[in-house]
Amino acid sequence: MAAIAAAPILLNNVTVTIGTDSYEAACTQVLLNPTTPVVRWKGMTPGSSHSFAGTPIWDATLTFAQDIASTNSLSKYLHNTPVGTKVTLAFDPVAGGASVTAIIVIQPAAIGGSLDTVPEATVTFAVDGQPTIAA
């Protein structure tokens, strides 16, 4: 059995590009997350149990500081881009390292928040297909 070494990363120098613009300065979270459906069947005898994994469905979750004052902010981009528009999300967990890309389906983000806070918005986008990882 091979011993596989780990090379963990620290998310503190990333790049986040949506379409043609970079938004990493506004983001506090980028998460590409699969949901894999499971089908189970169980018969009426011991050992008569079967599980099947389906095809994963991916989502991309971004959390970012709301900014409706800046001309090209992520808040304004999501508000002004038609719902359902498909664009490329590129995420480099370590700037200059391996890149993850996904086609996301645009939807708007929340506006507003609580008193005396920096309002953030969290949006979970549907991913069209499966993200790709390039070295």
Side-chain angles (χ1 to χ4, degrees):
M1 174 186 312
I4 308 299
I9 60 172
L10 178 64
L11 291 179
N12 68 358
N13 184 23
V14 307
T15 60
V16 179
T17 305
I18 298 175
T20 58
D21 296 319
S22 296
Y23 295 105
E24 58 272 356
C27 292
T28 58
Q29 177 192 34
V30 177
L31 178 65
L32 290 146
N33 194 31
T35 301
T36 305
V38 176
V39 176
R40 293 186 171 102
W41 180 86
K42 184 176 180 183
M44 297 177 80
T45 61
S48 183
S49 177
H50 302 275
S51 296
F52 306 91
T55 302
I57 298 169
W58 288 80
D59 293 316
T61 301
L62 269 66
T63 300
F64 56 93
Q66 294 180 35
D67 176 1
I68 59 173
S70 301
T71 303
N72 296 318
S73 70
L74 183 52
S75 294
K76 281 192 172 177
Y77 176 81
L78 296 176
H79 182 76
N80 294 331
T81 302
V83 172
T85 301
K86 295 180 181 181
V87 298
T88 300
L89 164 70
F91 171 52
D92 298 349
V94 177
S99 181
V100 180
T101 58
I103 304 299
I104 61 172
V105 181
I106 293 297
Q107 62 186 31
I111 299 171
S114 299
L115 179 67
D116 292 333
T117 65
V118 174
E120 288 187 321
T122 299
V123 180
T124 301
F125 303 97
V127 171
D128 194 13
Q130 177 173 317
T132 59
I133 300 175

